[in-house]
Amino acid sequence: MTVVFSHFINMDRCCRLARRGHIAWVVLLMLDILCDVSDCATQAEINKHLEMGREFLSRGQYQDALSHYHAAIEGDNTNAVTYFSRGTVYLALGKANLALTDFDKVLELKPDFVAARVQRGHILLKQARLEEAGQELERVWQWDPHNQDAAHYRNMIDPARDDIALAQAYMRGHDYQAAVDLISKILEVCPWSSMLRELRAEAHSALGDNMAAISDIRSTTRLLSDNTAGFYKLSLLHYKLGQAPESLKEIRECLKLDPEHKDCFPHYKKVKKVEKQLTDAQEALQSQDYRRCVDLANKVLISEPQVANIRFQAYDKLCQCYQKDDKVSESLRSCQEALAIQMDPRILCDRAEVYIASSMFDEAIRDYHKALEIEEDYQRAKEGIQRAQKLQKQAERRDYYKILGVSRNAGKQEIVKAYRKMAQKWHPDNFQSNESEKKIAEKKFIDIAAAKEVLTDPEKRQKYDNGEDPLDPESGHHQGFNPFQQFHQFHHGSPFQFKFHFN
């Protein structure tokens, strides 16, 4: 009633001042009236938010509770209980730093708020800030010696301190596995310690378990705000594993926090360059632009002279692209470089294909078997062994590619050209004067004609490439091949005047 009566008095004053022309005073009095009314409404809203926050908190609906406590604090930032309630919600959500900030505010407003000190000590213990935790819980003990929660947390501090010192000693002594095991135990008590997770990540890296190290460092980026060092370490670890896209993603997170970071910025430029070269090389391989693929893969080797897993990917591309471009020796050398870094079953099969192209069937079969030792159900290797064995058996009879002097990747036009040249050279009519030479020429001529017959027929060539000779009587596909049916002498009977008929 007093507030309402005051509003009526002020309204009357406004009217009198307005009649006298004092407009400025009228404005000030009206604002004062509106502020008073707003304060009454705001307090009601604050109470409503606190009530809803408690209700959602009791149901375990933490995000909903949090939104109402935010609103209540915006309306009244002097209520210690409201800050404590919001801090409790943050704690339930695992947001330790935000909870700690709220409990600090509670103790600023009400230093003897024991529950807030207990929770603050608990958070400091979980963060492995053991000295601070001990001091906070000591204050609680002085005020409330029978507080069971405070006593429980205090009893954890000394063992945790001793274990941390021992873990650090293990690290100095290079006993990394013992360090990992002990730190894992300590983290059950201090799960929010970024220091401990960084220490365990260092031990994991020393043991060669980079994925475990990545997991620990990633946790530190969530535990610490603005953790540029964490994102930089993540990027380095991914890059070391040859994971350029993932490395690029993490280094960009560092640059979001600090665009000119002295370590992150130069590393970003390097990773971005290498990642693009590898991506473009893969696209060139897929689009069958093998020369460009080779060029880009060689650029990767120049850009990254040290990190083995990045170089492995470059050699892998060279192995494939040189092979597709019929550069056998270059392909073989690149495959061997890749396998020296990592024994990969696919690359073993790629090298086996290069060996087959060079008629080195024993070596190819050996590589297929190595691939199966790594991955016992690798179908490509199983099929490769069968194919290489067939080709090896076939090579003991006739190698049509070798007969015509062409590669296994030769096209029809190249095969026909080689056939004409060889047929002219070894046609029996050229050896009429010497019977033994004529018999050798007849044999070679038959082989040359057979090679043309098989290699210019797509279906027969496919069978041959799969290890089956379609002209071998034992294959079951032989249909009475006669090489001399393909030649017709001209009228003058010159042994070099042949008419060639090609299907």
Side-chain angles (χ1 to χ4, degrees), residues 234-289:
L234 279 177
S235 183
L236 289 177
L237 285 168
H238 279 297
Y239 191 73
K240 185 177 180 181
L241 289 171
Q243 300 169 347
E246 291 82 355
S247 177
L248 190 59
K249 176 184 175 183
E250 300 299 344
I251 208 67
R252 281 173 172 158
E253 291 298 319
C254 175
L255 293 176
K256 286 180 184 177
L257 299 171
D258 182 359
E260 297 180 0
H261 192 280
K262 65 181 181 67
D263 294 320
C264 292
F265 186 66
H267 185 61
Y268 165 74
K269 291 195 295 184
K270 177 180 181 178
V271 177
K272 183 180 179 183
K273 180 180 180 181
V274 169
E275 195 273 338
K276 179 169 173 49
Q277 289 170 341
L278 286 171
T279 300
D280 290 348
Q282 180 61 32
E283 290 176 355
L285 173 60
Q286 292 173 344
S287 63
Q288 300 180 359
D289 189 351

Side-chain angles (χ1 to χ4, degrees), residues 77-113:
N77 62 2
T78 63
N79 191 323
V81 175
T82 306
Y83 278 107
F84 181 79
S85 298
R86 190 175 70 172
T88 302
V89 176
Y90 278 138
L91 197 55
L93 291 170
K95 298 181 178 181
N97 290 327
L98 292 173
L100 203 58
T101 300
D102 272 356
F103 294 141
D104 286 344
K105 185 65 176 179
V106 172
L107 295 172
E108 177 188 323
L109 295 169
K110 189 174 174 56
D112 61 347
F113 201 130

Side-chain angles (χ1 to χ4, degrees), residues 32-48:
D32 185 55
I33 292 168
L34 291 172
C35 287
D36 287 342
V37 174
S38 175
D39 284 345
C40 292
T42 299
Q43 188 57 53
E45 290 175 358
I46 290 170
N47 293 336
K48 183 64 175 176

